[in-house]
Coordinates of all heavy atoms in Angstrom, one line a residue:
R59 N -62.7 -65.6 -10.5 CA -63.5 -66.5 -9.7 C -65.0 -66.3 -9.9 O -65.7 -67.4 -10.1 CB -63.1 -66.4 -8.1 CG -61.9 -67.1 -7.7 CD -62.0 -67.4 -6.1 NE -60.6 -67.9 -5.7 CZ -59.7 -67.3 -5.2 NH1 -60.0 -65.9 -4.9 NH2 -58.6 -67.8 -4.8
F60 N -65.3 -65.1 -10.0 CA -66.7 -64.8 -10.4 C -67.1 -65.4 -11.6 O -68.1 -66.0 -11.9 CB -67.0 -63.4 -10.4 CG -68.4 -62.9 -10.8 CD1 -69.3 -62.8 -9.9 CD2 -68.5 -62.6 -12.1 CE1 -70.6 -62.4 -10.4 CE2 -69.8 -62.2 -12.6 CZ -70.9 -62.2 -11.7
L61 N -66.2 -65.2 -12.7 CA -66.5 -65.7 -14.0 C -66.4 -67.2 -14.1 O -67.4 -67.9 -14.7 CB -65.4 -65.3 -14.9 CG -65.6 -63.6 -15.4 CD1 -64.6 -63.3 -16.1 CD2 -66.9 -63.3 -15.9
I62 N -65.6 -67.9 -13.3 CA -65.5 -69.3 -13.2 C -66.8 -69.8 -12.7 O -67.4 -70.8 -13.1 CB -64.4 -69.9 -12.4 CG1 -63.0 -69.6 -13.1 CG2 -64.5 -71.4 -12.1 CD1 -61.7 -69.8 -12.2
G63 N -67.3 -69.1 -11.6 CA -68.6 -69.5 -10.9 C -69.7 -69.4 -12.1 O -70.9 -70.1 -11.8
K64 N -69.6 -68.6 -13.0 CA -70.6 -68.6 -14.1 C -70.4 -69.6 -15.2 O -71.2 -69.5 -16.1 CB -70.7 -67.1 -14.7 CG -71.0 -65.9 -13.8 CD -72.5 -66.0 -13.6 CE -72.9 -64.9 -12.7 NZ -74.3 -65.0 -12.2
N65 N -69.6 -70.5 -15.0 CA -69.5 -71.7 -15.9 C -69.0 -71.2 -17.3 O -69.7 -71.7 -18.2 CB -70.6 -72.4 -15.8 CG -70.5 -73.9 -16.3 OD1 -69.4 -74.3 -16.2 ND2 -71.6 -74.6 -16.7
V66 N -68.1 -70.3 -17.3 CA -67.7 -69.9 -18.7 C -66.9 -70.8 -19.4 O -66.2 -71.7 -18.7 CB -66.9 -68.5 -18.6 CG1 -68.0 -67.4 -18.0 CG2 -65.7 -68.6 -17.8
K67 N -66.7 -70.8 -20.8 CA -65.9 -71.8 -21.4 C -64.5 -71.1 -21.6 O -63.5 -72.0 -21.9 CB -66.5 -72.1 -22.8 CG -66.6 -71.1 -23.7 CD -67.4 -71.6 -25.0 CE -67.7 -70.5 -25.9 NZ -68.5 -70.9 -27.0
A68 N -64.3 -69.8 -21.5 CA -63.1 -69.3 -21.7 C -63.1 -67.8 -21.1 O -64.2 -67.2 -21.0 CB -62.6 -69.1 -23.2
I69 N -62.0 -67.4 -20.6 CA -61.9 -66.0 -20.0 C -61.0 -65.1 -20.7 O -59.7 -65.5 -21.0 CB -61.5 -66.1 -18.5 CG1 -62.6 -67.0 -17.7 CG2 -61.3 -64.7 -17.8 CD1 -62.2 -67.3 -16.4
V70 N -61.4 -64.0 -21.1 CA -60.6 -62.9 -21.6 C -60.4 -61.8 -20.5 O -61.3 -61.3 -20.1 CB -61.2 -62.2 -22.9 CG1 -60.3 -61.2 -23.5 CG2 -61.5 -63.4 -24.0
V71 N -59.1 -61.6 -20.3 CA -58.7 -60.6 -19.3 C -58.5 -59.4 -20.2 O -57.5 -59.0 -20.7 CB -57.5 -60.8 -18.5 CG1 -57.0 -59.7 -17.7 CG2 -57.7 -62.0 -17.7
A72 N -59.6 -58.5 -20.2 CA -59.6 -57.4 -21.2 C -59.1 -56.1 -20.4 O -59.7 -55.1 -20.5 CB -61.0 -57.2 -21.7
C73 N -58.0 -56.3 -19.8 CA -57.4 -55.2 -19.0 C -55.9 -55.4 -19.0 O -55.3 -56.5 -18.7 CB -57.9 -55.3 -17.6 SG -57.1 -54.1 -16.4
N74 N -55.2 -54.4 -19.6 CA -53.7 -54.5 -19.7 C -53.2 -54.5 -18.2 O -52.1 -55.2 -18.1 CB -53.2 -53.2 -20.4 CG -53.6 -53.4 -21.9 OD1 -52.7 -53.7 -22.8 ND2 -54.8 -52.8 -22.3
T75 N -53.6 -53.8 -17.4 CA -53.1 -53.7 -16.1 C -53.1 -55.0 -15.5 O -51.9 -55.6 -14.8 CB -53.8 -52.7 -15.2 OG1 -53.7 -51.4 -15.8 CG2 -53.3 -52.5 -13.9
I76 N -54.2 -55.8 -15.5 CA -54.2 -57.1 -14.9 C -53.4 -58.0 -15.8 O -52.6 -58.9 -15.0 CB -55.7 -57.8 -14.8 CG1 -56.6 -56.9 -14.1 CG2 -55.8 -59.1 -14.4 CD1 -58.1 -57.2 -14.1
S77 N -53.4 -58.0 -17.0 CA -52.5 -58.8 -17.9 C -51.2 -58.7 -17.7 O -50.3 -59.6 -17.5 CB -52.9 -58.6 -19.4 OG -54.1 -58.7 -19.7
A78 N -50.8 -57.4 -17.4 CA -49.3 -57.1 -17.1 C -48.9 -57.6 -15.7 O -47.8 -57.8 -15.5 CB -49.0 -55.6 -17.2
T79 N -49.8 -57.6 -14.7 CA -49.6 -57.9 -13.4 C -49.5 -59.3 -12.9 O -48.7 -59.9 -12.3 CB -50.5 -57.1 -12.5 OG1 -50.4 -55.6 -13.0 CG2 -50.1 -57.1 -10.9
C80 N -50.5 -60.1 -13.4 CA -50.8 -61.5 -12.8 C -51.4 -62.5 -13.8 O -52.1 -63.4 -13.1 CB -51.6 -61.4 -11.5 SG -53.1 -60.5 -11.7
L81 N -51.2 -62.4 -15.0 CA -51.9 -63.3 -15.9 C -51.5 -64.8 -15.6 O -52.5 -65.7 -15.5 CB -51.6 -63.0 -17.3 CG -52.4 -63.9 -18.3 CD1 -54.0 -63.4 -18.2 CD2 -51.9 -63.6 -19.7
P82 N -50.2 -65.2 -15.4 CA -49.9 -66.6 -15.2 C -50.6 -67.1 -13.8 O -51.1 -68.2 -13.9 CB -48.4 -66.5 -14.9 CG -47.9 -65.3 -15.7 CD -49.0 -64.4 -15.5
E83 N -50.7 -66.3 -12.8 CA -51.4 -66.8 -11.7 C -52.9 -67.0 -12.0 O -53.4 -68.0 -11.5 CB -51.4 -65.6 -10.6 CG -49.9 -65.5 -9.9 CD -49.1 -64.4 -10.3 OE1 -49.1 -64.2 -11.6 OE2 -48.7 -63.5 -9.7
L84 N -53.5 -66.1 -12.7 CA -54.8 -66.4 -13.0 C -55.0 -67.6 -14.0 O -56.0 -68.4 -13.8 CB -55.4 -65.1 -13.8 CG -55.4 -63.7 -13.2 CD1 -55.7 -62.6 -14.0 CD2 -56.2 -63.9 -11.9
Q85 N -54.1 -67.9 -14.8 CA -54.2 -69.0 -15.6 C -54.1 -70.3 -14.8 O -54.6 -71.3 -15.0 CB -53.2 -69.1 -16.8 CG -53.4 -68.1 -17.7 CD -52.3 -67.7 -18.7 OE1 -51.2 -67.7 -18.4 NE2 -52.6 -67.4 -20.1
K86 N -53.4 -70.1 -13.7 CA -53.2 -71.3 -12.7 C -54.4 -71.6 -12.2 O -54.9 -72.7 -11.7 CB -51.9 -71.2 -11.9 CG -50.7 -71.7 -12.5 CD -49.6 -71.7 -11.3 CE -48.3 -71.3 -12.0 NZ -47.5 -70.2 -11.3
L87 N -55.1 -70.5 -11.7 CA -56.3 -70.5 -10.9 C -57.5 -71.2 -11.6 O -58.4 -71.9 -11.0 CB -56.7 -69.2 -10.4 CG -58.1 -68.9 -9.8 CD1 -58.1 -69.4 -8.4 CD2 -58.4 -67.4 -9.8
S88 N -57.4 -70.9 -12.9 CA -58.7 -71.3 -13.8 C -58.5 -72.7 -14.5 O -57.4 -73.0 -15.1 CB -58.9 -70.3 -14.8 OG -59.9 -70.6 -15.7
S89 N -59.5 -73.5 -14.5 CA -59.4 -74.8 -15.3 C -59.8 -74.5 -16.7 O -59.6 -75.3 -17.7 CB -60.3 -75.8 -14.8 OG -61.5 -75.4 -14.6
V90 N -60.6 -73.3 -16.9 CA -60.8 -73.0 -18.5 C -59.7 -72.1 -18.8 O -59.0 -71.4 -18.0 CB -62.1 -72.3 -18.6 CG1 -63.2 -73.2 -18.2 CG2 -62.4 -71.1 -17.8
P91 N -59.5 -71.9 -20.2 CA -58.3 -71.1 -20.6 C -58.5 -69.6 -20.4 O -59.6 -69.1 -20.4 CB -58.4 -71.3 -22.2 CG -59.3 -72.4 -22.5 CD -60.1 -72.8 -21.3
V92 N -57.5 -68.9 -20.0 CA -57.6 -67.5 -19.7 C -56.6 -66.8 -20.7 O -55.4 -67.2 -20.7 CB -57.1 -67.3 -18.2 CG1 -57.1 -65.7 -17.9 CG2 -58.0 -68.0 -17.3
I93 N -57.0 -65.9 -21.4 CA -56.1 -65.1 -22.3 C -56.1 -63.6 -21.9 O -57.1 -63.1 -21.5 CB -56.4 -65.3 -23.7 CG1 -57.7 -64.7 -24.3 CG2 -56.2 -66.7 -24.1 CD1 -58.0 -64.8 -25.7
G94 N -55.0 -63.0 -22.0 CA -54.8 -61.5 -21.7 C -54.8 -60.9 -23.0 O -54.9 -61.4 -24.1
V95 N -54.4 -59.6 -22.9 CA -54.4 -58.8 -24.0 C -52.9 -58.5 -24.7 O -52.7 -58.0 -25.6 CB -55.0 -57.5 -23.9 CG1 -56.4 -57.4 -23.7 CG2 -54.5 -56.7 -22.6
I96 N -51.8 -58.9 -23.8 CA -50.6 -58.4 -24.1 C -49.9 -59.2 -25.1 O -49.4 -58.7 -26.2 CB -49.6 -58.2 -22.8 CG1 -50.3 -57.1 -22.0 CG2 -48.2 -58.0 -23.2 CD1 -49.6 -56.8 -20.7
K97 N -49.9 -60.7 -24.9 CA -49.2 -61.5 -25.8 C -49.8 -61.5 -27.3 O -49.2 -61.3 -28.3 CB -49.3 -63.0 -25.3 CG -48.1 -63.4 -24.6 CD -48.0 -64.8 -24.5 CE -46.8 -65.3 -23.7 NZ -46.9 -66.6 -23.0
P98 N -51.2 -61.5 -27.4 CA -51.7 -61.5 -28.7 C -51.3 -60.3 -29.5 O -51.0 -60.3 -30.7 CB -53.2 -61.5 -28.5 CG -53.4 -62.0 -27.2 CD -52.3 -61.7 -26.4
T99 N -51.2 -59.2 -28.6 CA -50.8 -57.8 -29.4 C -49.3 -57.8 -29.8 O -49.1 -57.4 -30.8 CB -51.2 -56.6 -28.3 OG1 -52.5 -56.7 -27.9 CG2 -51.0 -55.3 -28.9
V100 N -48.5 -58.3 -28.9 CA -47.0 -58.3 -29.2 C -46.8 -59.3 -30.3 O -46.1 -58.9 -31.4 CB -46.3 -58.8 -27.9 CG1 -44.8 -59.2 -28.2 CG2 -46.4 -57.7 -26.9
N101 N -47.5 -60.2 -30.4 CA -47.4 -61.3 -31.6 C -47.8 -60.6 -33.0 O -47.0 -60.7 -33.9 CB -48.2 -62.6 -31.5 CG -47.6 -63.4 -30.4 OD1 -46.6 -63.3 -30.0 ND2 -48.6 -64.5 -30.0
K102 N -48.8 -59.8 -32.9 CA -49.2 -59.1 -34.1 C -48.2 -58.1 -34.6 O -47.8 -58.0 -35.7 CB -50.6 -58.4 -33.8 CG -51.0 -57.7 -35.1 CD -52.2 -56.8 -34.7 CE -52.3 -55.7 -35.7 NZ -53.1 -56.0 -36.8
V103 N -47.7 -57.4 -33.5 CA -46.8 -56.1 -33.9 C -45.4 -56.7 -34.3 O -44.8 -56.2 -35.4 CB -46.6 -55.3 -32.6 CG1 -45.5 -54.2 -32.8 CG2 -48.0 -54.5 -32.3
V104 N -45.0 -57.8 -33.6 CA -43.6 -58.2 -34.0 C -43.6 -59.0 -35.3 O -42.6 -59.0 -35.9 CB -43.0 -58.9 -32.6 CG1 -41.6 -59.5 -33.1 CG2 -42.9 -58.0 -31.5
N105 N -44.6 -59.6 -35.6 CA -44.8 -60.4 -37.0 C -44.8 -59.4 -38.0 O -44.6 -59.7 -39.3 CB -46.0 -61.2 -36.8 CG -45.8 -62.5 -36.1 OD1 -44.5 -62.9 -35.8 ND2 -46.7 -63.0 -35.5
N106 N -45.1 -58.0 -37.8 CA -45.1 -57.1 -38.9 C -43.6 -56.6 -39.1 O -43.0 -55.8 -38.2 CB -45.9 -55.9 -38.4 CG -45.8 -54.8 -39.3 OD1 -45.1 -54.8 -40.4 ND2 -46.7 -53.7 -39.1
L107 N -43.0 -57.0 -40.1 CA -41.5 -56.6 -40.2 C -41.1 -55.4 -40.3 O -40.0 -54.9 -40.0 CB -41.0 -57.6 -41.6 CG -41.1 -59.1 -41.5 CD1 -40.7 -59.7 -42.8 CD2 -40.2 -59.7 -40.2
K108 N -42.1 -54.3 -40.5 CA -41.7 -53.1 -40.7 C -41.3 -52.5 -39.4 O -40.7 -51.5 -39.3 CB -42.9 -52.3 -41.3 CG -42.6 -51.5 -42.6 CD -43.8 -50.7 -43.0 CE -43.7 -49.3 -42.3 NZ -44.9 -48.6 -42.1
T109 N -41.9 -53.1 -38.4 CA -41.8 -52.5 -37.0 C -40.4 -52.6 -36.5 O -39.8 -53.6 -36.4 CB -42.8 -53.2 -36.1 OG1 -44.1 -53.1 -36.5 CG2 -42.7 -52.7 -34.7
K110 N -39.8 -51.5 -36.1 CA -38.4 -51.5 -35.5 C -38.5 -50.7 -34.1 O -38.0 -51.1 -33.2 CB -37.4 -50.8 -36.5 CG -37.1 -51.6 -37.6 CD -36.2 -51.0 -38.5 CE -36.1 -51.6 -39.8 NZ -37.3 -51.3 -40.6
N111 N -39.2 -49.7 -34.2 CA -39.3 -48.8 -33.0 C -40.8 -48.7 -32.5 O -41.6 -48.1 -33.2 CB -38.8 -47.3 -33.1 CG -37.3 -47.2 -33.4 OD1 -36.7 -48.1 -33.2 ND2 -37.0 -46.0 -34.0
I112 N -41.0 -49.4 -31.4 CA -42.3 -49.4 -31.0 C -42.6 -48.6 -29.7 O -41.8 -48.6 -28.7 CB -42.6 -50.9 -30.4 CG1 -42.5 -51.8 -31.7 CG2 -44.1 -50.9 -30.0 CD1 -42.6 -53.3 -31.3
G113 N -43.6 -47.8 -29.7 CA -44.0 -46.9 -28.5 C -45.2 -47.7 -27.8 O -46.0 -48.3 -28.6
I114 N -45.2 -47.6 -26.5 CA -46.2 -48.2 -25.8 C -46.8 -47.3 -24.7 O -45.9 -46.5 -24.1 CB -45.8 -49.5 -24.9 CG1 -45.3 -50.6 -25.9 CG2 -46.9 -50.0 -24.2 CD1 -44.4 -51.5 -25.3
I115 N -48.1 -47.0 -24.7 CA -48.6 -46.2 -23.7 C -49.5 -47.0 -22.8 O -50.3 -47.9 -23.3 CB -49.4 -44.9 -24.3 CG1 -50.4 -45.2 -25.4 CG2 -48.4 -44.0 -24.7 CD1 -51.2 -44.1 -25.8
G116 N -49.7 -46.7 -21.5 CA -50.5 -47.5 -20.7 C -50.7 -46.9 -19.3 O -50.2 -45.8 -19.1
T117 N -51.3 -47.6 -18.4 CA -51.4 -47.2 -17.0 C -49.9 -47.3 -16.3 O -49.2 -47.9 -16.9 CB -52.3 -48.0 -16.1 OG1 -51.9 -49.4 -16.0 CG2 -53.7 -48.0 -16.8
R118 N -49.8 -46.6 -15.2 CA -48.5 -46.7 -14.5 C -48.1 -48.3 -14.2 O -47.1 -48.6 -14.4 CB -48.6 -46.0 -13.1 CG -48.4 -44.5 -13.4 CD -47.8 -43.9 -12.3 NE -47.7 -42.4 -12.6 CZ -48.5 -41.5 -12.2 NH1 -49.5 -41.9 -11.3 NH2 -48.5 -40.3 -12.5
A119 N -49.1 -49.0 -13.8 CA -48.8 -50.3 -13.5 C -48.4 -51.1 -14.6 O -47.3 -52.0 -14.5 CB -50.1 -51.1 -12.8
T120 N -49.1 -50.8 -15.7 CA -48.7 -51.7 -17.1 C -47.2 -51.2 -17.4 O -46.4 -52.0 -17.7 CB -49.7 -51.2 -18.2 OG1 -50.9 -51.8 -17.7 CG2 -49.3 -52.0 -19.4
I121 N -47.0 -49.9 -17.5 CA -45.6 -49.4 -17.9 C -44.5 -49.9 -17.0 O -43.5 -50.4 -17.3 CB -45.7 -47.9 -18.1 CG1 -46.7 -47.6 -19.2 CG2 -44.3 -47.4 -18.6 CD1 -46.6 -48.1 -20.7
N122 N -44.8 -49.8 -15.6 CA -43.8 -50.0 -14.7 C -43.5 -51.5 -14.6 O -42.5 -52.0 -14.2 CB -44.2 -49.6 -13.3 CG -44.1 -48.1 -13.0 OD1 -43.6 -47.5 -14.0 ND2 -44.8 -47.6 -12.1
S123 N -44.5 -52.5 -15.1 CA -44.3 -53.9 -15.1 C -43.3 -54.3 -16.2 O -42.8 -55.3 -16.1 CB -45.6 -54.6 -15.3 OG -45.9 -54.5 -16.7
N124 N -43.2 -53.5 -17.2 CA -42.3 -53.8 -18.4 C -42.8 -55.0 -19.1 O -42.1 -55.5 -20.0 CB -40.9 -54.2 -17.9 CG -40.0 -53.0 -18.2 OD1 -40.2 -52.2 -18.9 ND2 -38.8 -53.1 -17.6
S125 N -44.0 -55.4 -18.8 CA -44.4 -56.6 -19.5 C -44.5 -56.6 -21.0 O -44.1 -57.5 -21.6 CB -46.0 -57.0 -19.1 OG -45.9 -57.2 -17.7
Y126 N -44.9 -55.5 -21.7 CA -44.9 -55.5 -23.1 C -43.5 -55.5 -23.6 O -43.2 -56.4 -24.5 CB -45.5 -54.1 -23.5 CG -46.9 -54.2 -23.8 CD1 -47.9 -53.5 -22.9 CD2 -47.5 -54.8 -25.0 CE1 -49.3 -53.7 -23.1 CE2 -48.8 -54.8 -25.2 CZ -49.7 -54.2 -24.4 OH -51.1 -54.3 -24.7
E127 N -42.5 -54.8 -23.0 CA -41.2 -54.9 -23.4 C -40.6 -56.2 -23.3 O -40.0 -56.9 -24.3 CB -40.4 -53.9 -22.7 CG -38.9 -53.9 -23.1 CD -38.2 -52.5 -22.8 OE1 -38.7 -51.6 -22.2 OE2 -37.0 -52.4 -23.3
L128 N -40.8 -56.9 -22.3 CA -40.3 -58.3 -22.0 C -40.9 -59.2 -23.1 O -40.0 -60.0 -23.5 CB -40.6 -58.8 -20.6 CG -39.9 -58.0 -19.5 CD1 -40.5 -58.3 -18.1 CD2 -38.5 -58.3 -19.5
E129 N -42.2 -59.1 -23.3 CA -42.7 -60.1 -24.4 C -42.2 -59.7 -25.7 O -41.9 -60.6 -26.5 CB -44.1 -59.8 -24.6 CG -45.1 -60.6 -23.4 CD -44.9 -62.0 -23.2 OE1 -44.6 -62.7 -24.2 OE2 -44.9 -62.5 -22.1
I130 N -42.0 -58.5 -26.0 CA -41.5 -58.1 -27.3 C -40.1 -58.5 -27.5 O -39.7 -59.2 -28.6 CB -41.6 -56.6 -27.6 CG1 -43.0 -56.0 -27.8 CG2 -40.7 -56.1 -28.8 CD1 -43.1 -54.5 -27.6
K131 N -39.3 -58.5 -26.6 CA -37.8 -58.8 -26.5 C -37.7 -60.4 -26.7 O -36.8 -60.8 -27.2 CB -37.1 -58.4 -25.3 CG -37.1 -56.9 -25.1 CD -36.0 -56.3 -26.1 CE -35.7 -54.8 -25.9 NZ -35.2 -54.0 -27.0
K132 N -38.7 -61.2 -26.2 CA -38.6 -62.5 -26.3 C -38.7 -62.9 -27.7 O -38.2 -63.9 -28.2 CB -40.0 -63.3 -25.5 CG -39.6 -63.5 -24.1 CD -40.9 -64.4 -23.7 CE -41.2 -64.1 -22.3 NZ -42.4 -64.6 -21.8
L133 N -39.5 -62.2 -28.6 CA -39.8 -62.5 -30.0 C -38.7 -61.8 -30.8 O -38.4 -62.4 -31.9 CB -41.2 -62.0 -30.3 CG -42.3 -62.7 -29.7 CD1 -43.6 -62.2 -30.3 CD2 -42.3 -64.4 -29.9
D134 N -38.2 -60.6 -30.5 CA -37.2 -59.9 -31.4 C -36.5 -59.0 -30.5 O -36.8 -57.9 -30.1 CB -38.0 -59.2 -32.4 CG -37.1 -58.5 -33.3 OD1 -35.9 -58.5 -33.1 OD2 -37.6 -57.8 -34.3

Side-chain angles (χ1 to χ4, degrees):
R59 281 205 185 98
F60 173 86
L61 292 175
I62 293 170
K64 292 282 180 192
N65 203 18
V66 295
K67 62 183 173 188
I69 295 174
V70 178
V71 174
C73 176
N74 287 267
T75 303
I76 299 174
S77 302
T79 305
C80 56
L81 188 68
E83 287 102 309
L84 298 174
Q85 287 167 330
K86 272 189 213 133
L87 170 75
S88 170
S89 56
V90 296
V92 180
I93 64 174
V95 286
I96 295 179
K97 261 196 185 165
T99 305
V100 167
N101 286 342
K102 179 193 160 84
V103 170
V104 177
N105 283 335
N106 173 357
L107 292 176
K108 236 189 87 204
T109 301
K110 288 182 198 68
N111 290 345
I112 302 178
I114 297 160
I115 52 175
T117 65
R118 282 211 179 92
T120 299
I121 297 305
N122 292 344
S123 74
N124 255 344
S125 294
Y126 267 103
E127 179 155 6
L128 293 170
E129 285 298 332
I130 290 169
K131 296 287 183 192
K132 268 190 219 164
L133 294 184
D134 182 355

